[in-house]
Amino acid sequence: MVVRVQDRFAILLGRDALYPAPIAFTLAHEIGHIALRHLEATDAVVDMEDPAQIEPDDDEESAADHYALQLLTGDASPKIETNLDDFSAAQLARAVLVTGPERNIEPGTLALCLAYQDKKWAQANSALKMIYDQSKPVWREVNFLAAKQIDWSAIGSDSADYLRAVMAVPDA
Ligand SMILES: [Zn+2]
């Protein structure tokens, strides 16, 4: 979800993944809600289901998806062609590890774009295990980066202590 307090925003992620690409899409989608001014008339936009896994059900959801794709791939509606009608996870992993860098698209993101386009979720999710060197909870890196964006001196020490505990980030 995205919350707004006056003209400031925060993205709250209620899910995690073992690989970066799914979280990158969800984060980019939520950034889209902010950038496209979907919070001007409301204090929060809540995506109950993961935007990466569902068809958008209204114009704002669709616009946020296109924003995310533009941000992550350089194309708001990328069309991905494959030279095989069906393929294994290993074939997909090998293909995106070559094609992704050529197109300046992170390979895991490219695999998920194809999964979304052609409903190849099983192959793409298995391919993620081969695309990345290791699995690890993505939230740690997300929260580490988020912590750098917070002006800790602007919030009270009790709030800062609470927020650091919730985010599991060390004292600045
Ligand atoms: Zn949304």
Side-chain angles (χ1 to χ4, degrees), residues 17 42 74 125:
T42 184
N125 284 323

mmCIF file with all atom_site columns, all heavy atoms in Angstrom, residues 17 42 74 125:
data_model
loop_
_atom_site.group_PDB
_atom_site.id
_atom_site.type_symbol
_atom_site.label_atom_id
_atom_site.label_alt_id
_atom_site.label_comp_id
_atom_site.label_asym_id
_atom_site.label_entity_id
_atom_site.label_seq_id
_atom_site.pdbx_PDB_ins_code
_atom_site.Cartn_x
_atom_site.Cartn_y
_atom_site.Cartn_z
_atom_site.occupancy
_atom_site.B_iso_or_equiv
_atom_site.pdbx_formal_charge
_atom_site.auth_seq_id
_atom_site.auth_comp_id
_atom_site.auth_asym_id
_atom_site.auth_atom_id
_atom_site.pdbx_PDB_model_num
ATOM 1  N N   . ALA A 1 17  ? 9.667  -11.714 -0.838  1.00 0.00 ? 17  ALA A N   1
ATOM 2  C CA  . ALA A 1 17  ? 10.016 -12.753 -1.811  1.00 0.00 ? 17  ALA A CA  1
ATOM 3  C C   . ALA A 1 17  ? 11.472 -13.103 -1.585  1.00 0.00 ? 17  ALA A C   1
ATOM 4  O O   . ALA A 1 17  ? 12.200 -12.381 -0.896  1.00 0.00 ? 17  ALA A O   1
ATOM 5  C CB  . ALA A 1 17  ? 9.802  -12.238 -3.238  1.00 0.00 ? 17  ALA A CB  1
ATOM 6  N N   . THR A 1 42  ? -7.084 11.038  -1.738  1.00 0.00 ? 42  THR A N   1
ATOM 7  C CA  . THR A 1 42  ? -7.204 9.997   -0.712  1.00 0.00 ? 42  THR A CA  1
ATOM 8  C C   . THR A 1 42  ? -5.888 9.909   0.052   1.00 0.00 ? 42  THR A C   1
ATOM 9  O O   . THR A 1 42  ? -4.856 10.363  -0.437  1.00 0.00 ? 42  THR A O   1
ATOM 10 C CB  . THR A 1 42  ? -7.567 8.638   -1.356  1.00 0.00 ? 42  THR A CB  1
ATOM 11 O OG1 . THR A 1 42  ? -7.762 7.668   -0.321  1.00 0.00 ? 42  THR A OG1 1
ATOM 12 C CG2 . THR A 1 42  ? -6.477 8.150   -2.290  1.00 0.00 ? 42  THR A CG2 1
ATOM 13 N N   . GLY A 1 74  ? 11.677 0.132   -19.595 1.00 0.00 ? 74  GLY A N   1
ATOM 14 C CA  . GLY A 1 74  ? 11.777 1.182   -20.602 1.00 0.00 ? 74  GLY A CA  1
ATOM 15 C C   . GLY A 1 74  ? 10.611 1.185   -21.571 1.00 0.00 ? 74  GLY A C   1
ATOM 16 O O   . GLY A 1 74  ? 10.587 1.978   -22.507 1.00 0.00 ? 74  GLY A O   1
ATOM 17 N N   . ASN A 1 125 ? 8.697  -18.674 -12.330 1.00 0.00 ? 125 ASN A N   1
ATOM 18 C CA  . ASN A 1 125 ? 9.031  -18.750 -10.908 1.00 0.00 ? 125 ASN A CA  1
ATOM 19 C C   . ASN A 1 125 ? 10.159 -19.748 -10.670 1.00 0.00 ? 125 ASN A C   1
ATOM 20 O O   . ASN A 1 125 ? 11.028 -19.511 -9.824  1.00 0.00 ? 125 ASN A O   1
ATOM 21 C CB  . ASN A 1 125 ? 7.781  -19.086 -10.090 1.00 0.00 ? 125 ASN A CB  1
ATOM 22 C CG  . ASN A 1 125 ? 6.864  -17.877 -9.955  1.00 0.00 ? 125 ASN A CG  1
ATOM 23 O OD1 . ASN A 1 125 ? 7.325  -16.734 -9.813  1.00 0.00 ? 125 ASN A OD1 1
ATOM 24 N ND2 . ASN A 1 125 ? 5.573  -18.098 -10.020 1.00 0.00 ? 125 ASN A ND2 1
#
